[in-house]
Amino acid sequence: MSFTQRLKQAFLVLLRQGLWGRKEVEQTGFPLTPEEWTQIYEMSVKQTVQGIVYDGIGLLPKEQQPPRSLLVQWTIAIDQLERMNRQQNALLSVLPQLFGQEPAIPYQVLKGQGIAAFYRKPLHRLCGDIDLYFGNEEQTEKANQRIEALGAKVERGRDGESNYLLNGVLIEHHAHLIDLHYQKKELQQWEAERFQQGGRVPDPVANHLLLSTHILKHLVNEGIGLRQLCDAAMALVGLSEKTDKQELEQLSRRWHIFRWNQLLYALLVKYIGMPKEYLPFPTTVNPDKLMDEVWESGNFGHGDERFGNRPEGKWKSKWHTWKIVSNKLHLSAVYAPHETWHWLTGLIGFRIKEMLTHEQK
């Protein structure tokens, strides 16, 4: 059974009700059959917004709510979600002491629990890993070594990124803030200046740019889900009074992501229910095609069924990746051409270097 247009409308009603805590006048798509409620639940898991949709159900008339058996299953899942969030919050409370020991290593918390604070019910936002930003690669390596001194195994990746498990929670260290490949040196200089201003989280403008470019990165590379879009909306609302909207527009133009941000913010208004007064700048872009991609791909592309499972074999796997990437070029190349071009050329250059290194070996 496909996820029909009527189910999509019903799903978004529940999502918006859960996000904003307001009963919608037109609750389009209801009532639902037990089978359709199962589909709603499965889509909420695919999009990693099961906690928000669950909250939206509470604003439905009782006769329109899910069957009791599904509601009990859903409630158990939300209880587990709350426990996961409390575990992360407990770990976050320890980090200032861990990295504050002399010599102190300054850091900022990215996305995740910092954004969850803007939600009506922060414990109902599905938590992923904990992302920490240390300003540059040298400071990131110092943080890695401090963690290793505790006995944890740190896995190092490219561009100064690393990850490890601490008390069962995945933590990632980042040397850079903004996910852009265009004008990288100039961007990193700007990041360094912002980081030096301090703060446990990035300043409002940096936070908005971080969220929008992170969504763009996953659109180009894998896929995006509704949780990431909800984060962007809640941050725009929660940080509205502190955001320098003129600076946000100027930087969006400077980094050549202005049209992308217009597309993203238009979607937040039309589908996520963000009031127009929270738009940092005007937009008349039609976000329907982007929303179609969201329905198909799901969180980080994990729910995308259009291309089948990733095949065995190195080159078959790479061709599979190319099919996914090329399918989204009608969006990324139109609304973020600079980033799309530099990301693609960088990827191709990396693959060529990989091939030459393999041949030499």
Side-chain angles (χ1 to χ4, degrees), residues 270-320:
K270 183 171 183 178
Y271 291 101
I272 307 300
M274 185 182 78
K276 286 185 179 180
E277 58 264 31
Y278 292 105
L279 283 171
F281 39 75
T283 176
T284 57
V285 178
N286 185 337
D288 291 351
K289 289 184 178 179
L290 178 59
M291 191 65 202
D292 289 341
E293 179 61 35
V294 172
W295 285 122
E296 292 288 352
S297 62
N299 188 56
F300 299 149
H302 296 322
D304 200 329
E305 299 175 354
R306 291 172 292 181
F307 307 99
N309 296 325
R310 183 170 294 277
E312 297 284 339
K314 180 178 180 180
W315 297 109
K316 287 183 179 180
S317 176
K318 293 184 187 303
W319 176 246
H320 183 82

Side-chain angles (χ1 to χ4, degrees), residues 15-228:
L15 181 79
R16 291 191 293 262
Q17 288 188 165
L19 269 182
W20 310 110
R22 298 189 297 268
K23 181 178 179 179
E24 296 209 354
V25 177
E26 294 185 12
Q27 293 180 325
T28 308
F30 297 93
L32 301 174
T33 66
E35 292 77 15
E36 288 174 330
W37 269 116
T38 298
Q39 285 186 276
I40 291 285
Y41 176 73
E42 290 173 349
M43 178 59 76
S44 75
V45 173
K46 172 181 175 178
Q47 298 286 346
T48 61
V49 290
Q50 54 265 55
I52 302 168
V53 174
Y54 178 84
D55 292 335
I57 290 173
L59 294 177
L60 289 178
K62 282 197 174 181
E63 63 272 15
Q64 291 188 3
Q65 293 185 6
R68 177 174 172 76
S69 59
L70 178 61
L71 203 53
V72 169
Q73 176 188 348
W74 211 324
T75 302
I76 293 172
I78 299 307
D79 179 68
Q80 293 173 337
L81 174 57
E82 291 175 349
R83 292 171 187 269
M84 289 168 56
N85 271 301
R86 291 192 180 97
Q87 181 184 18
Q88 281 209 358
N89 290 338
L91 186 55
L92 280 170
S93 68
V94 174
L95 295 181
Q97 180 181 357
L98 175 61
F99 293 115
Q101 296 175 1
E102 293 298 332
I105 307 173
Y107 70 93
Q108 292 179 336
V109 179
L110 307 182
K111 301 170 296 193
Q113 301 306 84
I115 300 300
F118 300 126
Y119 282 73
R120 284 193 319 117
K121 296 184 178 182
L123 295 181
H124 286 188
R125 176 195 178 273
L126 185 68
C127 52
D129 49 24
I130 293 177
D131 293 280
L132 303 179
Y133 169 52
F134 293 91
N136 56 53
E137 293 188 17
E138 180 182 357
Q139 288 295 97
T140 304
E141 180 55 28
K142 289 180 180 179
N144 292 341
Q145 293 174 11
R146 182 160 298 184
I147 294 299
E148 287 176 327
L150 298 175
K153 182 181 179 181
V154 176
E155 298 285 347
R156 291 168 175 79
R158 292 193 298 161
D159 297 325
E161 294 195 351
S162 56
N163 65 81
Y164 54 93
L165 286 173
L166 194 62
N167 294 343
V169 176
L170 179 64
I171 300 180
E172 291 189 355
H173 287 180
H174 300 274
H176 306 293
L177 181 67
I178 305 297
D179 287 316
L180 287 178
H181 296 76
Y182 182 67
Q183 293 178 319
K184 207 160 188 177
K185 290 184 178 180
E186 185 181 346
L187 180 61
Q188 289 175 3
Q189 182 180 350
W190 176 86
E191 289 179 346
E193 292 170 357
R194 289 301 174 108
F195 186 74
Q196 289 171 4
Q197 294 177 11
R200 187 59 72 210
V201 296
D203 67 79
V205 169
N207 227 330
H208 296 315
L209 290 172
L210 163 65
L211 291 171
S212 70
T213 56
H214 188 72
I215 293 172
L216 174 60
K217 168 188 173 182
H218 285 291
L219 169 68
V220 173
N221 191 22
E222 300 165 309
I224 55 176
L226 284 167
R227 181 184 61 166
Q228 295 166 288

